[in-house]
Amino acid sequence: MRVFMLGWEFPPFISGGLGTACFGLTRALDRLGVEVLFVLPRAVTNPEGSHVEILSPATAAAEGKIIDTTGLFRHTQFRAVAATLRPYARPDEARTEDEDVAGGRLAPGRGRPRRRRRGAQAAAAGITAPPADNYAGDLFSEIERYAALAAALAIDEEFDVIHAHDWMTYLAGMAVQAETGRPLVVHVHSTEFDRSGLHVNQRIYDIERAGMHAATKVICVSHLTRSIVLKHYAVDPRKVEVVYNAIDESDAPPVELPPITRDDKIVLFLGRVTMQKGPEYFLAAAKRVLEVMDNVRFVMAGSGDMIRRMIEMAAEMGIGHKVLFTGFLRGNDVRRIYRMADLYVMPSVSEPFGLTPLEALSNDVPVLISKQSGVAEVLKHALKVDFWDVDEMANKIIAVLRHPPLHATLRDHGSFEVKRFSWTDSAENCLKVYTAALGPTAS
């Protein structure tokens, strides 16, 4: 099987996030022998920003290179839809299936739907390419450009199924589907209701809804997310499947740390500092903890639109000297902060899954998570609390910090439990979804 994979990012070992999930799943599919063509929206020049060196399709073809500088992948190609790619919407250019066969672009009998004009179907759906020199711009213009160029790239590729990760790639998925007739699988890592509550961005919601309804199959990262998809997007429940995210411990080499001799206990928040992640509830619980325990430091690691407000909030509460704001962390710094922590807290208001608790457990850190998270469905050896119940959150933080046997039980059992989560299992479940999307004739 060959998969045309559409992903907006593909970072290195950054805690949580869409890019980490894309990497874990793609690498697991690759290990299973699945051929993946992973299409990114732009070239990545920062060596810390990608596992792979990304070149545009035109450059890669000219140099005859399949790019993977790390040796992590055997069956996966990486392409970036850069400005050198030819424009997509050219309704005056005719090319039929017979011409594809004659030109060597399509094997006889392959069964690609006949086209009269390249881009005609996608153009009819309102998806066209911006001018070739107009790569910069707002997010929506880049999404539309990515859709047009991904569809153009797909014309000369052979694959069985399209896999689009999250809303930024749904337009691209629909464009490729319209152009090739291949089944589309959309992967819902989060929804606009998770990110914005009830105050959704209508334009994003419309893209999400269109992608889910156009898809042959919809993958959700938890039953929590599936319920949102069914309730708010009116998607046919027969085509919505749940595939949990995972963690690959082999990707994280051990980090040697000097012994921590100070008496302070460390409680960690790590993630985007946004409404969805509940940072204000973390600080509210911190204040209550500090009213009865003085030897506790709270660390808020991450960046986001609420970071300034959180710094001000800590100062207003009179706990600013007990809260450390680290900014965005990556790589070894993430693993070091986990290893220093006595407890990891994820107070998310709405978390489709939540990879960071698995990462914390894999680093021998007990976790306290909100009941409003997908990972709460599958983790048994974790403390759980409603995100809004800051008194109960504080009580459970105090219990873990004051009672070493509780801390040790949560740490040891949680560390053992996290070994059950495998990207290979997730990839095998995705393969089942692909097969179902291809229909009864799929082998």
Side-chain angles (χ1 to χ4, degrees), residues 16-240:
L18 175 60
T20 301
C22 287
F23 171 77
L25 177 61
T26 303
R27 188 175 177 191
L29 288 169
D30 184 88
R31 287 195 295 255
L32 292 173
V34 177
E35 295 183 39
V36 179
L37 174 61
F38 199 104
V39 181
L40 282 159
R42 64 168 67 199
V44 179
T45 56
N46 180 359
E48 294 184 350
S50 177
H51 287 291
V52 294
E53 178 187 357
I54 305 295
L55 299 180
S56 72
T59 304
E63 299 182 3
K65 297 175 67 177
I66 300 300
I67 310 302
D68 171 21
T69 60
T70 64
L72 290 175
F73 299 91
R74 294 174 299 168
H75 306 287
T76 302
Q77 304 174 24
F78 294 87
R79 304 282 182 86
V81 286
T84 55
L85 192 59
R86 63 181 179 271
Y88 169 60
R90 296 179 61 184
D92 58 331
E93 179 177 344
R95 198 178 86 193
T96 67
E97 180 181 325
D98 293 336
E99 291 168 328
D100 277 341
V101 172
R105 291 178 289 268
L106 181 64
R110 181 67 176 170
R112 176 183 290 173
R114 181 181 295 271
R115 289 187 300 273
R116 289 191 180 90
R117 297 182 306 198
R118 179 197 300 168
Q121 292 173 314
I127 301 169
T128 56
D133 58 352
N134 185 30
Y135 188 70
D138 62 39
L139 178 61
F140 289 103
S141 68
E142 292 201 19
I143 286 171
E144 291 169 356
R145 174 181 172 77
Y146 175 56
L149 297 180
L153 179 63
I155 291 172
D156 296 318
E157 298 291 339
E158 290 302 321
F159 52 89
D160 301 288
V161 66
I162 309 154
H163 188 144
H165 288 279
D166 234 38
W167 75 272
M168 294 86 71
T169 69
Y170 289 178
L171 286 182
M174 288 186 287
V176 175
Q177 179 190 47
E179 182 63 32
T180 66
R182 298 298 182 219
L184 169 64
V185 175
V186 300
H187 203 144
V188 184
H189 294 269
S190 67
T191 71
E192 183 61 7
F193 291 91
D194 297 304
R195 295 181 292 267
S196 304
L198 295 178
H199 305 288
V200 300
N201 181 307
Q202 188 63 41
R203 192 171 179 185
I204 295 175
Y205 170 81
D206 290 343
I207 292 173
E208 289 180 330
R209 192 177 192 279
M212 293 178 199
H213 280 262
T216 307
K217 285 287 186 179
V218 177
I219 297 175
C220 295
V221 294
S222 66
H223 287 281
L224 172 68
T225 302
R226 185 178 188 272
S227 66
I228 293 173
V229 165
L230 299 183
K231 178 180 178 180
H232 294 291
Y233 296 85
V235 180
D236 183 348
R238 293 172 297 180
K239 72 176 187 179
V240 185

Side-chain angles (χ1 to χ4, degrees), residues 54 66 101 149 191 211 220 234 244 300 314 317 320 348 351 415 433:
I54 305 295
I66 300 300
V101 172
L149 297 180
T191 71
C220 295
Y244 289 115
M300 186 168 285
M317 289 179 167
S348 296
E351 188 69 51
S415 179
V433 175

Side-chain angles (χ1 to χ4, degrees), residues 412-428:
D412 296 342
H413 288 204
S415 179
F416 179 79
E417 182 181 17
V418 78
K419 299 183 190 304
R420 295 190 299 107
F421 295 87
S422 164
W423 276 119
T424 299
D425 292 340
S426 299
E428 288 175 346

Side-chain angles (χ1 to χ4, degrees), residues 204-333:
I204 295 175
Y205 170 81
D206 290 343
I207 292 173
E208 289 180 330
R209 192 177 192 279
M212 293 178 199
H213 280 262
T216 307
K217 285 287 186 179
V218 177
I219 297 175
C220 295
V221 294
S222 66
H223 287 281
L224 172 68
T225 302
R226 185 178 188 272
S227 66
I228 293 173
V229 165
L230 299 183
K231 178 180 178 180
H232 294 291
Y233 296 85
V235 180
D236 183 348
R238 293 172 297 180
K239 72 176 187 179
V240 185
E241 308 289 345
V242 173
V243 176
Y244 289 115
N245 285 336
I247 186 171
D248 195 339
E249 290 187 272
S250 64
D251 290 337
V255 179
E256 295 297 327
L257 295 174
I260 301 173
T261 57
R262 59 198 175 106
D263 295 330
D264 279 348
K265 302 292 185 180
I266 297 178
V267 180
L268 174 65
F269 170 106
L270 191 151
R272 288 182 293 113
V273 187
T274 64
M275 181 277 293
Q276 179 188 353
K277 303 297 183 180
E280 68 271 39
Y281 300 102
F282 178 77
L283 291 183
K287 179 174 175 56
R288 285 162 173 74
V289 171
L290 291 169
E291 289 171 355
V292 297
M293 291 184 70
D294 185 60
N295 64 326
V296 185
R297 295 291 182 94
F298 291 84
V299 177
M300 186 168 285
S303 59
D305 60 284
M306 289 181 66
I307 187 66
R308 183 186 180 105
R309 175 59 190 141
M310 292 303 97
I311 295 172
E312 294 171 347
M313 183 176 172
E316 292 166 0
M317 289 179 167
I319 62 171
H321 62 297
K322 290 287 188 176
V323 182
L324 172 65
F325 296 88
T326 69
F328 180 76
L329 300 179
R330 69 170 71 242
N332 281 334
D333 288 336

